């Protein structure tokens, strides 16, 4: 007999606010009705998580769950970024833990083929619970010739900006007679997808006719095939030309292997490369909560000689582990040199006010890792390329020198001290400014009971109507002939109220500056000494003259 359409009075969905409870599909354990849609909103105490498990599960099967299905959402909003999984068929989904105190479960049936449905239980849990770490929701189970085990779970529709997929039971040997399909995409970013295999070991064979992984440039097997792989050689990095990628894993009746582990990520706000002298970026969906299970990278690559200075405008990530006190969960890391093999400049989590970080080279890599629960607002960052320069002074003059290659796109009149009339000159491979203290807008100030000479160096990157002028304060202490330079306006002047000295380390590390020429030009000291000697001679002559008289 056919089940009826969902009639009025059938219990379907609702708000579940007790600390624990059970719910099931309409008519369970009988057949669920046709054309039914139910939404259960589970709400537990704030600061807790929802732990969800299924004791029975039987829905109409389809390889992409297009007919009858159950969806689990991380939070109340039915947003694709919060979707933890879409399920159908006969194998129960794995346990879930929500990122915060709300979880939504949606059940939908179409007008054909009804099954017995599902039974589920939930309870309030701690966000440090065992379900919250290391349990990967696996979607769309398919073991055609035998009962599926939880460890066999594979395949799914993945809509996150990045994630990890593995063969069933990885790193143990995968089962025989398995077929898994991962359909990646549909997160709304619209960019291409990149797939990178971290490990790969499968049964080999000419033409990969036994066990294999096949990649398709789209959501179905009708899309162009990007490759078919087997054996022990890792497949190459694959980039789709569409916002969708289909991965099929298949094993035959004998001979297995360790399987594979692969990472995928979408282009856009999660994977970006910056080459401009200044810029800004933020975590995905900022200032809303970032998605779980991300690995995002922002690479800043500037011309040789530059350093990258990063300003943390706002940051709120999941906090430190209560067991280790370290950033074991969600964290942001900075690496010098542009790769994760470079020196670690810092690793941060929680909600902190961070001091700016400056690279030691012209490249810097920021990497955001998020785990499977407890999302936060994320971060907002600005950066500026610190121009390499050498600043020195005498008792009467400033000397400034900047390699032309660092500002190759600029004309010399875009670099000036104080006023545009004091523009740099091109001498050899350097922009140079040599000026006396009584010109170019310099002024005398008293700081820390010391007399200093102050001026402002302007580097004008403006293009068209877009004004973009970086300002550095140049300072000299004439008595000691010591100079310094400080960035006072870069990516966001309002954030740089306490400027930091940037030049001491530059000069110590030697930015290939030709300071010998500057020293050879230091004629003011010679003139000063000559005047002193001449005055002394005149005084001696005067004294001798008086004695003779």
């Amino acid at each position: 007999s056919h089940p009826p359409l969902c009639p009025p009075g059938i219990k379907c969905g609702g708000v579940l606010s007790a600390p624990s409870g059970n719910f099931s599909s309409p008519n369970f354990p009988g057949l669920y009705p046709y054309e039914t849609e139910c939404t259960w909103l589970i709400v537990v105490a704030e600061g807790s998580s929802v732990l969800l498990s299924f004791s029975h599960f039987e829905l109409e099967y389809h390889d992409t769950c297009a007919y009858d299905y159950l969806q689990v959402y991380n939070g109340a909003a039915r947003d694709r970024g919060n979707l933890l999984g879409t399920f159908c068929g006969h194998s129960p989904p794995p346990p879930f833990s929500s990122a915060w105190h709300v979880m939504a479960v949606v059940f939908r049936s179409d007008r054909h083929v009804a099954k017995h449905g599902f039974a589920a239980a939930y309870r309030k849990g701690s966000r440090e619970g065992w379900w919250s770490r290391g349990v990967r929701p696996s979607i769309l189970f398919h073991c055609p010739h035998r009962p599926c085990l939880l460890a066999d779970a594979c395949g799914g529709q993945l809509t996150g900006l990045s994630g990890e997929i593995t063969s069933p039971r990885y790193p143990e040997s995968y089962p025989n007679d398995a077929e898994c399909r991962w359909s990646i995409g549909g997160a709304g970013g619209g960019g291409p997808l990149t797939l990178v295999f971290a490990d790969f070991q499968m049964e080999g064979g000419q033409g990969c006719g036994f066990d294999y992984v096949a990649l398709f440039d789209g959501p179905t097997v009708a899309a162009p095939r990007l490759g078919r792989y087997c054996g022990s050689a890792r497949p190459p990095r694959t980039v789709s030309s569409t916002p969708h990628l289909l991965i099929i894993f298949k094993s035959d009746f004998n001979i297995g292997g360790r399987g594979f582990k692969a990472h995928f990520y979408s282009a856009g706000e999660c994977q970006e490369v910056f080459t401009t002298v200044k810029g800004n970026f933020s975590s995905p969906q900022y200032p809303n909560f970032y998605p779980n299970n991300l690995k995002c990278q922002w690479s800043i690559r500037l011309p040789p000689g530059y350093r990258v200075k990063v300003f943390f405008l706002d940051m709120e990530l999941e906090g430190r582990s209560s067991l280790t006190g370290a950033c074991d969960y969600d964290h942001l890391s900075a690496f010098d040199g542009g790769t994760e093999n470079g020196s670690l400049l810092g690793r941060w989590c929680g909600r902190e006010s961070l001091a700016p970080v400056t690279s030691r080279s012209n490249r810097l890599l920021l990497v955001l890792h998020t785990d499977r629960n407890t999302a936060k607002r994320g971060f907002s960052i600005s950066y500026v390329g610190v121009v390499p320069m050498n600043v020195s002074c005498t008792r009467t003059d400033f000397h400034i020198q900047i390699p032309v290659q660092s500002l190759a796109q600029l004309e010399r009149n875009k670099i000036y001290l104080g006023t545009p009339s004091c523009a740099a000159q091109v001498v050899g491979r350097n922009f140079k400014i040599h000026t006396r203290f009584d010109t170019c807008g310099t002024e005398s100030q008293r700081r820390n009971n010391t007399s200093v000479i102050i001026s402002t160096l302007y580097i004008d990157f403006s293009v068209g109507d877009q004004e973009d002028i970086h300002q550095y304060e140049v300072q000299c202490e004439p008595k000691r002939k010591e100079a310094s330079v400080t960035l006072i306006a870069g990516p966001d002047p309002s954030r740089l109220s306490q400027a930091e000295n940037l030049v001491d380390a530059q000069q110590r590390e030697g930015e290939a500056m030709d300071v010998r020429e500057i020293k050879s030009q230091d004629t003011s000291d010679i003139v000063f000494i000559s005047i002193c000697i001449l005055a002394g001679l005149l005084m001696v002559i005067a004294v001798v003259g008086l004695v003779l008289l």
Side-chain angles (χ1 to χ4, degrees):
S1 61
H2 297 291
L5 296 179
C6 191
I10 289 288
K11 189 174 182 181
C12 176
V15 178
L16 307 175
S17 56
S20 63
N22 302 275
F23 61 99
S24 59
S25 53
N27 290 335
F28 181 84
L31 301 179
Y32 51 74
Y34 294 139
E35 295 186 302
T36 299
E37 182 166 333
C38 312
T39 299
W40 291 267
L41 188 65
I42 307 171
V43 183
V44 296
E46 194 165 352
S48 304
S49 64
V50 179
L51 304 181
L52 178 68
S53 61
F54 293 84
S55 58
H56 183 87
F57 193 85
E58 183 188 355
L59 274 63
E60 179 185 7
Y61 178 79
H62 181 262
D63 58 357
T64 63
C65 293
Y67 304 148
D68 300 351
Y69 60 81
L70 182 136
Q71 292 180 321
V72 181
Y73 287 87
N74 207 353
R78 288 177 59 174
D79 175 75
R80 298 296 293 181
N82 292 332
L83 180 63
L84 295 177
T86 300
F87 305 89
C88 61
H90 295 262
S91 297
F96 283 105
S97 174
S98 65
W100 49 94
H101 69 293
V102 179
M103 178 180 280
V105 179
V106 178
F107 165 72
R108 186 183 183 282
S109 64
D110 65 3
R111 64 175 61 236
H112 304 287
V113 186
K115 298 292 183 179
H116 292 282
F118 68 89
Y122 76 91
R123 66 179 176 86
K124 181 183 75 172
S126 165
R127 290 188 183 170
E128 300 295 326
W130 68 272
W131 268 335
S132 69
R133 307 289 168 197
V135 178
R136 184 178 64 257
S138 301
I139 314 167
L140 304 180
F141 302 24
H142 181 43
C143 305
H145 303 301
R146 58 186 168 73
C148 281
L149 302 174
L150 180 59
D152 297 338
C154 67
Q157 188 157 357
L158 309 176
T159 60
L161 293 170
S162 70
E164 176 185 292
I165 59 175
T166 62
S167 52
R169 302 180 184 174
Y170 177 86
E172 297 177 9
S173 183
Y174 53 78
N176 296 324
D177 293 320
E179 181 175 342
C180 313
R181 296 187 178 206
W182 292 267
S183 179
I184 305 174
L193 293 159
T194 299
L195 181 71
V196 180
F197 285 87
D199 189 20
F200 194 88
Q201 184 192 47
M202 298 177 62
E203 179 185 6
Q206 188 173 6
C208 294
F210 305 130
D211 300 353
Y212 63 85
V213 169
L215 310 178
F216 295 87
D217 195 8
T220 68
V221 293
R225 195 172 77 180
L226 297 173
R228 181 165 170 154
Y229 304 101
C230 60
S232 57
R234 276 192 300 167
R237 176 188 296 260
T238 300
V239 180
S240 70
S241 64
T242 74
H244 297 274
L245 184 66
L246 176 66
I247 304 169
I248 296 179
F249 163 76
K250 193 174 186 310
S251 64
D252 63 6
F253 64 92
N254 69 351
I255 306 179
R258 186 169 63 246
F260 68 88
K261 178 170 73 170
H263 303 276
F264 70 89
Y265 58 85
S266 61
E269 61 180 341
C270 190
Q271 304 287 332
E272 295 184 279
V273 176
F274 299 92
T275 57
T276 54
V277 175
K278 72 174 184 178
N280 56 78
F281 53 89
S282 57
S283 52
Q285 302 179 11
Y286 176 87
N288 298 317
F289 282 14
Y290 50 74
N292 292 320
N293 194 34
L294 287 180
K295 181 180 180 182
C296 300
Q297 296 185 337
W298 295 268
S299 179
I300 305 171
R301 305 170 184 175
L302 300 185
Y306 274 86
R307 301 220 177 105
V308 182
K309 186 163 188 175
V310 172
F311 300 87
F312 300 90
L313 309 183
D314 182 32
M315 192 179 83
E316 184 184 12
L317 305 178
E318 183 180 4
R320 296 176 179 272
S321 166
S322 59
L323 298 176
T324 66
C327 295
D328 295 334
Y329 306 145
D330 301 352
H331 58 270
L332 178 69
S333 303
F335 299 91
D336 193 32
T339 71
E340 293 185 67
N341 295 326
S343 300
L344 181 66
L345 300 176
R347 178 168 166 154
W348 307 280
C349 59
R351 186 171 185 175
E352 302 179 30
S353 295
L354 301 176
V357 171
T358 304
S359 68
R360 292 185 288 270
S361 69
N362 63 320
R363 295 192 174 197
L364 183 140
L365 177 68
L366 286 157
V367 181
L368 171 67
H369 285 270
T370 70
D371 63 8
R372 193 159 289 283
N373 94 337
T374 313
K376 295 292 184 180
R377 186 173 66 246
F379 64 82
S380 176
I381 281 176
S382 285
Y383 76 89
V384 63
V386 179
V387 178
M389 65 181 72
N390 184 286
V391 178
S392 63
C393 68
T394 67
R395 290 186 175 88
T396 59
D397 299 58
F398 271 125
H399 298 276
I400 301 171
Q401 190 167 269
I402 304 172
V404 169
Q405 68 169 355
S406 298
L407 301 172
Q409 76 276 32
L410 297 185
E411 300 291 335
R412 67 175 187 84
N413 61 353
K414 296 287 189 177
I415 307 160
Y416 55 89
L417 186 68
T419 63
S421 61
C422 293
Q425 302 294 322
V426 178
V427 180
R429 293 179 294 177
N430 296 304
F431 290 114
K432 293 187 178 182
I433 298 176
H434 178 198
T435 182
R436 295 181 60 83
F437 290 158
D438 56 359
T439 61
C440 299
T442 56
E443 59 178 87
S444 178
Q445 294 184 8
R446 194 160 186 84
R447 297 184 180 179
N448 298 324
N449 296 320
T450 303
S451 293
V452 294
I453 303 298
I454 303 295
S455 190
T456 302
L457 175 67
Y458 297 89
I459 302 178
D460 188 353
F461 294 95
S462 301
V463 177
D465 296 332
Q466 188 72 31
E467 185 177 276
D468 184 10
I469 302 176
H470 295 199
Q471 300 176 35
Y472 294 79
E473 182 184 82
V474 181
Q475 175 180 313
C476 176
E477 188 178 338
K479 287 185 178 180
R480 302 174 65 179
K481 295 186 289 184
E482 291 185 354
S484 63
V485 60
T486 302
L487 176 69
I488 57 175
D492 187 352
S494 65
R495 300 279 182 173
L496 305 181
S497 57
Q498 294 185 343
E500 298 180 6
N501 191 300
L502 303 174
V503 90
D504 291 343
Q506 291 177 350
Q507 292 176 332
R508 281 197 300 270
E509 294 183 26
E511 296 288 344
M513 301 295 180
D514 186 7
V515 296
R516 289 172 296 184
E517 186 172 347
I518 290 178
K519 290 181 179 179
S520 68
Q521 294 174 355
D522 190 5
T523 57
S524 57
D525 284 355
I526 299 173
V527 172
F528 179 78
I529 295 171
S530 300
I531 291 173
C532 292
I533 294 173
L534 180 59
L537 289 174
L538 291 174
M539 289 182 63
V540 171
I541 293 171
V543 170
V544 171
L546 288 173
V547 171
L548 293 176
L549 290 174

